Amino acid sequence: KHKGYKMNWINVKDELPKKGCWLIAFSYKDVITAGWDDDRKRFFIGTEYLNNVTHWMPLPKPPINNKER
């Protein structure tokens, strides 16, 4: 069973990511992993800035390996 972790999309009009945040972004019909440039207030992938991000959410925590417990 899932532990009830709920992820919600955040509208860029309501809130922007924190400095240095890696996230999931929604642009048009695409869901992509991106970064946030706090100095320029823009989402990016590599060296390319994204112009049409409407929503975002933080990346989920990585899975826990049972052998590492």
Side-chain angles (χ1 to χ4, degrees), residues 5-24:
Y5 182 71
K6 187 175 181 182
M7 295 176 58
N8 294 313
W9 288 105
I10 301 166
N11 190 313
V12 296
K13 293 178 182 176
D14 296 333
E15 183 181 345
L16 294 173
K18 293 181 178 153
K19 187 174 186 173
C21 181
W22 288 96
L23 48 93
I24 300 169

Side-chain angles (χ1 to χ4, degrees), residues 49-65:
Y49 285 98
L50 306 171
N51 295 316
N52 297 299
V53 173
T54 60
H55 293 77
W56 67 278
M57 68 174 76
L59 288 174
K61 293 179 182 177
I64 298 172
N65 183 340

Side-chain angles (χ1 to χ4, degrees), residues 17-66:
K18 293 181 178 153
K19 187 174 186 173
C21 181
W22 288 96
L23 48 93
I24 300 169
F26 181 81
S27 177
Y28 288 115
K29 297 178 183 179
D30 296 323
V31 175
I32 49 180
T33 304
W36 173 252
D37 183 339
D38 199 56
D39 293 332
R40 294 189 172 139
K41 305 289 186 222
R42 300 200 50 203
F43 296 91
F44 68 90
I45 300 174
T47 59
E48 181 180 335
Y49 285 98
L50 306 171
N51 295 316
N52 297 299
V53 173
T54 60
H55 293 77
W56 67 278
M57 68 174 76
L59 288 174
K61 293 179 182 177
I64 298 172
N65 183 340
N66 289 333

